[in-house]
Amino acid sequence: MRSLPLESANENLVEDRLLLDEIASKWTILVLGALCDGPLRFNELKRRLDGVTQKALTQCLRRLEANGIIERHIVSLSPIAVAYEISALGRTLEAPLRALHTWTLQHRAEVMQARERYKAD
């Protein structure tokens, strides 16, 4: 197998890091978790995500849509609204994100103990 030229490898690393930053961000994980059960309108999504600002949610949704991870649909009711749902590509993140969530549940107590030990030092 031929290796990529150094320039190309570095470009890939930058792209990979940027995508990983996007997928692993706090709001991305919470948005995808909220959308797992089905489409939600913007305001319902905002209510489910305690602490998110309108600006942060809007930016997150735009990035996820641009990356093909979610889809945005116009709901033609009165008043017109926008609904978001996970795309087929976004659904491929479900298993890894569930695994991460499971890990946090299983190891929360250990992490809290480590934090307390760190503070005590």
mmCIF file with all atom_site columns, all heavy atoms in Angstrom, residues 23 28 32 64 69 86 88-99:
data_model
loop_
_atom_site.group_PDB
_atom_site.id
_atom_site.type_symbol
_atom_site.label_atom_id
_atom_site.label_alt_id
_atom_site.label_comp_id
_atom_site.label_asym_id
_atom_site.label_entity_id
_atom_site.label_seq_id
_atom_site.pdbx_PDB_ins_code
_atom_site.Cartn_x
_atom_site.Cartn_y
_atom_site.Cartn_z
_atom_site.occupancy
_atom_site.B_iso_or_equiv
_atom_site.pdbx_formal_charge
_atom_site.auth_seq_id
_atom_site.auth_comp_id
_atom_site.auth_asym_id
_atom_site.auth_atom_id
_atom_site.pdbx_PDB_model_num
ATOM 1   N N   . ILE A 1 23 ? -18.634 16.509 15.470 1.00 0.00 ? 23 ILE A N   1
ATOM 2   C CA  . ILE A 1 23 ? -19.447 15.381 15.944 1.00 0.00 ? 23 ILE A CA  1
ATOM 3   C C   . ILE A 1 23 ? -19.410 15.268 17.461 1.00 0.00 ? 23 ILE A C   1
ATOM 4   O O   . ILE A 1 23 ? -20.416 14.940 18.088 1.00 0.00 ? 23 ILE A O   1
ATOM 5   C CB  . ILE A 1 23 ? -18.967 14.063 15.299 1.00 0.00 ? 23 ILE A CB  1
ATOM 6   C CG1 . ILE A 1 23 ? -19.249 14.084 13.798 1.00 0.00 ? 23 ILE A CG1 1
ATOM 7   C CG2 . ILE A 1 23 ? -19.627 12.859 15.939 1.00 0.00 ? 23 ILE A CG2 1
ATOM 8   C CD1 . ILE A 1 23 ? -18.557 12.985 13.036 1.00 0.00 ? 23 ILE A CD1 1
ATOM 9   N N   . THR A 1 28 ? -23.880 19.129 19.693 1.00 0.00 ? 28 THR A N   1
ATOM 10  C CA  . THR A 1 28 ? -24.157 18.141 18.641 1.00 0.00 ? 28 THR A CA  1
ATOM 11  C C   . THR A 1 28 ? -24.667 16.848 19.250 1.00 0.00 ? 28 THR A C   1
ATOM 12  O O   . THR A 1 28 ? -25.678 16.296 18.805 1.00 0.00 ? 28 THR A O   1
ATOM 13  C CB  . THR A 1 28 ? -22.897 17.870 17.794 1.00 0.00 ? 28 THR A CB  1
ATOM 14  O OG1 . THR A 1 28 ? -22.553 19.063 17.098 1.00 0.00 ? 28 THR A OG1 1
ATOM 15  C CG2 . THR A 1 28 ? -23.124 16.744 16.806 1.00 0.00 ? 28 THR A CG2 1
ATOM 16  N N   . LEU A 1 32 ? -28.490 15.493 18.607 1.00 0.00 ? 32 LEU A N   1
ATOM 17  C CA  . LEU A 1 32 ? -28.743 14.188 17.995 1.00 0.00 ? 32 LEU A CA  1
ATOM 18  C C   . LEU A 1 32 ? -29.496 13.264 18.950 1.00 0.00 ? 32 LEU A C   1
ATOM 19  O O   . LEU A 1 32 ? -30.377 12.518 18.533 1.00 0.00 ? 32 LEU A O   1
ATOM 20  C CB  . LEU A 1 32 ? -27.429 13.545 17.530 1.00 0.00 ? 32 LEU A CB  1
ATOM 21  C CG  . LEU A 1 32 ? -26.750 14.268 16.368 1.00 0.00 ? 32 LEU A CG  1
ATOM 22  C CD1 . LEU A 1 32 ? -25.417 13.610 16.043 1.00 0.00 ? 32 LEU A CD1 1
ATOM 23  C CD2 . LEU A 1 32 ? -27.644 14.311 15.148 1.00 0.00 ? 32 LEU A CD2 1
ATOM 24  N N   . LEU A 1 64 ? -24.671 20.912 11.366 1.00 0.00 ? 64 LEU A N   1
ATOM 25  C CA  . LEU A 1 64 ? -25.111 19.528 11.169 1.00 0.00 ? 64 LEU A CA  1
ATOM 26  C C   . LEU A 1 64 ? -25.793 19.352 9.818  1.00 0.00 ? 64 LEU A C   1
ATOM 27  O O   . LEU A 1 64 ? -25.591 18.338 9.142  1.00 0.00 ? 64 LEU A O   1
ATOM 28  C CB  . LEU A 1 64 ? -26.047 19.105 12.300 1.00 0.00 ? 64 LEU A CB  1
ATOM 29  C CG  . LEU A 1 64 ? -25.387 18.922 13.660 1.00 0.00 ? 64 LEU A CG  1
ATOM 30  C CD1 . LEU A 1 64 ? -26.440 18.698 14.734 1.00 0.00 ? 64 LEU A CD1 1
ATOM 31  C CD2 . LEU A 1 64 ? -24.399 17.766 13.620 1.00 0.00 ? 64 LEU A CD2 1
ATOM 32  N N   . ILE A 1 69 ? -25.727 15.570 8.352  1.00 0.00 ? 69 ILE A N   1
ATOM 33  C CA  . ILE A 1 69 ? -26.059 14.734 9.508  1.00 0.00 ? 69 ILE A CA  1
ATOM 34  C C   . ILE A 1 69 ? -27.520 14.888 9.913  1.00 0.00 ? 69 ILE A C   1
ATOM 35  O O   . ILE A 1 69 ? -28.124 13.963 10.450 1.00 0.00 ? 69 ILE A O   1
ATOM 36  C CB  . ILE A 1 69 ? -25.087 15.040 10.671 1.00 0.00 ? 69 ILE A CB  1
ATOM 37  C CG1 . ILE A 1 69 ? -23.667 14.630 10.229 1.00 0.00 ? 69 ILE A CG1 1
ATOM 38  C CG2 . ILE A 1 69 ? -25.485 14.329 11.945 1.00 0.00 ? 69 ILE A CG2 1
ATOM 39  C CD1 . ILE A 1 69 ? -22.569 15.073 11.146 1.00 0.00 ? 69 ILE A CD1 1
ATOM 40  N N   . ILE A 1 86 ? -32.851 13.545 11.953 1.00 0.00 ? 86 ILE A N   1
ATOM 41  C CA  . ILE A 1 86 ? -31.571 12.925 11.652 1.00 0.00 ? 86 ILE A CA  1
ATOM 42  C C   . ILE A 1 86 ? -31.644 12.307 10.255 1.00 0.00 ? 86 ILE A C   1
ATOM 43  O O   . ILE A 1 86 ? -32.611 11.637 9.913  1.00 0.00 ? 86 ILE A O   1
ATOM 44  C CB  . ILE A 1 86 ? -31.216 11.851 12.698 1.00 0.00 ? 86 ILE A CB  1
ATOM 45  C CG1 . ILE A 1 86 ? -31.094 12.489 14.081 1.00 0.00 ? 86 ILE A CG1 1
ATOM 46  C CG2 . ILE A 1 86 ? -29.919 11.140 12.324 1.00 0.00 ? 86 ILE A CG2 1
ATOM 47  C CD1 . ILE A 1 86 ? -30.849 11.505 15.198 1.00 0.00 ? 86 ILE A CD1 1
ATOM 48  N N   . ALA A 1 88 ? -30.050 9.804  7.083  1.00 0.00 ? 88 ALA A N   1
ATOM 49  C CA  . ALA A 1 88 ? -29.527 8.433  7.053  1.00 0.00 ? 88 ALA A CA  1
ATOM 50  C C   . ALA A 1 88 ? -28.051 8.423  7.477  1.00 0.00 ? 88 ALA A C   1
ATOM 51  O O   . ALA A 1 88 ? -27.626 7.547  8.237  1.00 0.00 ? 88 ALA A O   1
ATOM 52  C CB  . ALA A 1 88 ? -29.702 7.835  5.660  1.00 0.00 ? 88 ALA A CB  1
ATOM 53  N N   . LEU A 1 89 ? -27.286 9.405  7.008  1.00 0.00 ? 89 LEU A N   1
ATOM 54  C CA  . LEU A 1 89 ? -25.884 9.500  7.416  1.00 0.00 ? 89 LEU A CA  1
ATOM 55  C C   . LEU A 1 89 ? -25.777 9.736  8.915  1.00 0.00 ? 89 LEU A C   1
ATOM 56  O O   . LEU A 1 89 ? -24.970 9.112  9.606  1.00 0.00 ? 89 LEU A O   1
ATOM 57  C CB  . LEU A 1 89 ? -25.187 10.636 6.647  1.00 0.00 ? 89 LEU A CB  1
ATOM 58  C CG  . LEU A 1 89 ? -23.741 10.918 7.028  1.00 0.00 ? 89 LEU A CG  1
ATOM 59  C CD1 . LEU A 1 89 ? -22.853 9.708  6.764  1.00 0.00 ? 89 LEU A CD1 1
ATOM 60  C CD2 . LEU A 1 89 ? -23.225 12.141 6.266  1.00 0.00 ? 89 LEU A CD2 1
ATOM 61  N N   . GLY A 1 90 ? -26.603 10.620 9.443  1.00 0.00 ? 90 GLY A N   1
ATOM 62  C CA  . GLY A 1 90 ? -26.594 10.895 10.870 1.00 0.00 ? 90 GLY A CA  1
ATOM 63  C C   . GLY A 1 90 ? -26.945 9.677  11.705 1.00 0.00 ? 90 GLY A C   1
ATOM 64  O O   . GLY A 1 90 ? -26.417 9.489  12.808 1.00 0.00 ? 90 GLY A O   1
ATOM 65  N N   . ARG A 1 91 ? -27.830 8.827  11.186 1.00 0.00 ? 91 ARG A N   1
ATOM 66  C CA  . ARG A 1 91 ? -28.212 7.605  11.911 1.00 0.00 ? 91 ARG A CA  1
ATOM 67  C C   . ARG A 1 91 ? -27.023 6.679  12.120 1.00 0.00 ? 91 ARG A C   1
ATOM 68  O O   . ARG A 1 91 ? -27.001 5.896  13.069 1.00 0.00 ? 91 ARG A O   1
ATOM 69  C CB  . ARG A 1 91 ? -29.326 6.852  11.181 1.00 0.00 ? 91 ARG A CB  1
ATOM 70  C CG  . ARG A 1 91 ? -30.667 7.507  11.277 1.00 0.00 ? 91 ARG A CG  1
ATOM 71  C CD  . ARG A 1 91 ? -31.339 7.150  12.575 1.00 0.00 ? 91 ARG A CD  1
ATOM 72  N NE  . ARG A 1 91 ? -32.570 7.927  12.700 1.00 0.00 ? 91 ARG A NE  1
ATOM 73  C CZ  . ARG A 1 91 ? -33.144 8.191  13.824 1.00 0.00 ? 91 ARG A CZ  1
ATOM 74  N NH1 . ARG A 1 91 ? -32.644 7.743  14.958 1.00 0.00 ? 91 ARG A NH1 1
ATOM 75  N NH2 . ARG A 1 91 ? -34.242 8.908  13.866 1.00 0.00 ? 91 ARG A NH2 1
ATOM 76  N N   . THR A 1 92 ? -26.012 6.774  11.261 1.00 0.00 ? 92 THR A N   1
ATOM 77  C CA  . THR A 1 92 ? -24.837 5.917  11.442 1.00 0.00 ? 92 THR A CA  1
ATOM 78  C C   . THR A 1 92 ? -24.041 6.302  12.686 1.00 0.00 ? 92 THR A C   1
ATOM 79  O O   . THR A 1 92 ? -23.189 5.535  13.130 1.00 0.00 ? 92 THR A O   1
ATOM 80  C CB  . THR A 1 92 ? -23.910 5.961  10.200 1.00 0.00 ? 92 THR A CB  1
ATOM 81  O OG1 . THR A 1 92 ? -23.387 7.283  10.041 1.00 0.00 ? 92 THR A OG1 1
ATOM 82  C CG2 . THR A 1 92 ? -24.651 5.525  8.938  1.00 0.00 ? 92 THR A CG2 1
ATOM 83  N N   . LEU A 1 93 ? -24.317 7.473  13.246 1.00 0.00 ? 93 LEU A N   1
ATOM 84  C CA  . LEU A 1 93 ? -23.654 7.899  14.488 1.00 0.00 ? 93 LEU A CA  1
ATOM 85  C C   . LEU A 1 93 ? -24.365 7.376  15.732 1.00 0.00 ? 93 LEU A C   1
ATOM 86  O O   . LEU A 1 93 ? -23.840 7.476  16.836 1.00 0.00 ? 93 LEU A O   1
ATOM 87  C CB  . LEU A 1 93 ? -23.610 9.433  14.563 1.00 0.00 ? 93 LEU A CB  1
ATOM 88  C CG  . LEU A 1 93 ? -22.652 10.119 13.618 1.00 0.00 ? 93 LEU A CG  1
ATOM 89  C CD1 . LEU A 1 93 ? -22.914 11.607 13.598 1.00 0.00 ? 93 LEU A CD1 1
ATOM 90  C CD2 . LEU A 1 93 ? -21.220 9.823  14.033 1.00 0.00 ? 93 LEU A CD2 1
ATOM 91  N N   . GLU A 1 94 ? -25.554 6.807  15.564 1.00 0.00 ? 94 GLU A N   1
ATOM 92  C CA  . GLU A 1 94 ? -26.355 6.394  16.717 1.00 0.00 ? 94 GLU A CA  1
ATOM 93  C C   . GLU A 1 94 ? -25.634 5.377  17.600 1.00 0.00 ? 94 GLU A C   1
ATOM 94  O O   . GLU A 1 94 ? -25.555 5.553  18.817 1.00 0.00 ? 94 GLU A O   1
ATOM 95  C CB  . GLU A 1 94 ? -27.701 5.840  16.253 1.00 0.00 ? 94 GLU A CB  1
ATOM 96  C CG  . GLU A 1 94 ? -28.698 5.714  17.362 1.00 0.00 ? 94 GLU A CG  1
ATOM 97  C CD  . GLU A 1 94 ? -30.104 5.438  16.856 1.00 0.00 ? 94 GLU A CD  1
ATOM 98  O OE1 . GLU A 1 94 ? -30.338 5.423  15.638 1.00 0.00 ? 94 GLU A OE1 1
ATOM 99  O OE2 . GLU A 1 94 ? -30.967 5.245  17.717 1.00 0.00 ? 94 GLU A OE2 1
ATOM 100 N N   . ALA A 1 95 ? -25.079 4.333  17.013 1.00 0.00 ? 95 ALA A N   1
ATOM 101 C CA  . ALA A 1 95 ? -24.405 3.298  17.818 1.00 0.00 ? 95 ALA A CA  1
ATOM 102 C C   . ALA A 1 95 ? -23.186 3.856  18.565 1.00 0.00 ? 95 ALA A C   1
ATOM 103 O O   . ALA A 1 95 ? -23.055 3.630  19.773 1.00 0.00 ? 95 ALA A O   1
ATOM 104 C CB  . ALA A 1 95 ? -24.019 2.105  16.944 1.00 0.00 ? 95 ALA A CB  1
ATOM 105 N N   . PRO A 1 96 ? -22.287 4.598  17.898 1.00 0.00 ? 96 PRO A N   1
ATOM 106 C CA  . PRO A 1 96 ? -21.149 5.143  18.656 1.00 0.00 ? 96 PRO A CA  1
ATOM 107 C C   . PRO A 1 96 ? -21.575 6.115  19.755 1.00 0.00 ? 96 PRO A C   1
ATOM 108 O O   . PRO A 1 96 ? -20.994 6.110  20.844 1.00 0.00 ? 96 PRO A O   1
ATOM 109 C CB  . PRO A 1 96 ? -20.300 5.852  17.604 1.00 0.00 ? 96 PRO A CB  1
ATOM 110 C CG  . PRO A 1 96 ? -20.779 5.403  16.292 1.00 0.00 ? 96 PRO A CG  1
ATOM 111 C CD  . PRO A 1 96 ? -22.149 4.856  16.467 1.00 0.00 ? 96 PRO A CD  1
ATOM 112 N N   . LEU A 1 97 ? -22.587 6.935  19.500 1.00 0.00 ? 97 LEU A N   1
ATOM 113 C CA  . LEU A 1 97 ? -23.024 7.887  20.518 1.00 0.00 ? 97 LEU A CA  1
ATOM 114 C C   . LEU A 1 97 ? -23.714 7.171  21.679 1.00 0.00 ? 97 LEU A C   1
ATOM 115 O O   . LEU A 1 97 ? -23.554 7.562  22.832 1.00 0.00 ? 97 LEU A O   1
ATOM 116 C CB  . LEU A 1 97 ? -23.928 8.951  19.909 1.00 0.00 ? 97 LEU A CB  1
ATOM 117 C CG  . LEU A 1 97 ? -23.227 9.911  18.949 1.00 0.00 ? 97 LEU A CG  1
ATOM 118 C CD1 . LEU A 1 97 ? -24.218 10.897 18.349 1.00 0.00 ? 97 LEU A CD1 1
ATOM 119 C CD2 . LEU A 1 97 ? -22.074 10.640 19.610 1.00 0.00 ? 97 LEU A CD2 1
ATOM 120 N N   . ARG A 1 98 ? -24.470 6.119  21.389 1.00 0.00 ? 98 ARG A N   1
ATOM 121 C CA  . ARG A 1 98 ? -25.078 5.329  22.470 1.00 0.00 ? 98 ARG A CA  1
ATOM 122 C C   . ARG A 1 98 ? -23.999 4.660  23.313 1.00 0.00 ? 98 ARG A C   1
ATOM 123 O O   . ARG A 1 98 ? -24.108 4.593  24.539 1.00 0.00 ? 98 ARG A O   1
ATOM 124 C CB  . ARG A 1 98 ? -26.040 4.291  21.917 1.00 0.00 ? 98 ARG A CB  1
ATOM 125 C CG  . ARG A 1 98 ? -27.355 4.865  21.479 1.00 0.00 ? 98 ARG A CG  1
ATOM 126 C CD  . ARG A 1 98 ? -28.383 3.757  21.227 1.00 0.00 ? 98 ARG A CD  1
ATOM 127 N NE  . ARG A 1 98 ? -29.548 4.268  20.570 1.00 0.00 ? 98 ARG A NE  1
ATOM 128 C CZ  . ARG A 1 98 ? -30.535 4.917  21.181 1.00 0.00 ? 98 ARG A CZ  1
ATOM 129 N NH1 . ARG A 1 98 ? -30.481 5.109  22.472 1.00 0.00 ? 98 ARG A NH1 1
ATOM 130 N NH2 . ARG A 1 98 ? -31.569 5.365  20.501 1.00 0.00 ? 98 ARG A NH2 1
ATOM 131 N N   . ALA A 1 99 ? -22.951 4.171  22.661 1.00 0.00 ? 99 ALA A N   1
ATOM 132 C CA  . ALA A 1 99 ? -21.841 3.553  23.397 1.00 0.00 ? 99 ALA A CA  1
ATOM 133 C C   . ALA A 1 99 ? -21.175 4.569  24.316 1.00 0.00 ? 99 ALA A C   1
ATOM 134 O O   . ALA A 1 99 ? -20.853 4.264  25.473 1.00 0.00 ? 99 ALA A O   1
ATOM 135 C CB  . ALA A 1 99 ? -20.829 2.960  22.422 1.00 0.00 ? 99 ALA A CB  1
#
